[in-house]
Amino acid sequence: MQFGHLPEGTVITNRLDEILDRRGSEKRIHYALDRIQAALKTVGNPDKNVQTLVIAGTNGKGSTTLYLSSVLESAVHRVTTYLSPHLQSPV
């Protein structure tokens, strides 16, 4: 494991490796999706039945989302919008 500017194989990095190895796996971040996929499978994969549209980028996500929501609702589609981070109106 790399620890910033510390060279590997030093007493400090070896000790940090030992400490991290002794910690329980529940304290480590698990980036794989296998657990969430297994959970979804047990409830019948409801995510497979939902059509989604992700709008990503630097600018214009809010207005693009509102525009597309309006177009889809006009075409009699059910639309749910989730914005993150949430938007607030200026005071």
Side-chain angles (χ1 to χ4, degrees), residues 16-87:
L16 288 171
D17 277 333
E18 287 175 26
I19 292 168
L20 291 174
D21 286 340
R22 273 191 278 141
R23 291 178 67 189
S25 62
E26 72 280 353
K27 297 193 185 215
R28 293 187 185 173
I29 297 172
H30 185 70
Y31 292 107
L33 294 176
D34 55 334
R35 293 185 296 173
I36 191 68
Q37 288 170 334
L40 287 168
K41 186 176 180 180
T42 30
V43 293
N45 289 317
D47 57 313
K48 304 288 184 201
N49 300 323
V50 178
Q51 292 181 339
T52 58
L53 176 64
V54 177
I55 301 168
T58 305
N59 296 315
K61 293 178 295 295
S63 56
T64 302
T65 300
L66 293 174
Y67 175 76
L68 288 174
S69 294
S70 176
V71 168
L72 291 169
E73 287 172 347
S74 296
V76 195
H77 290 281
R78 190 173 122 205
V79 176
T80 302
T81 304
Y82 176 77
L83 302 172
S84 175
H86 68 281
L87 302 177

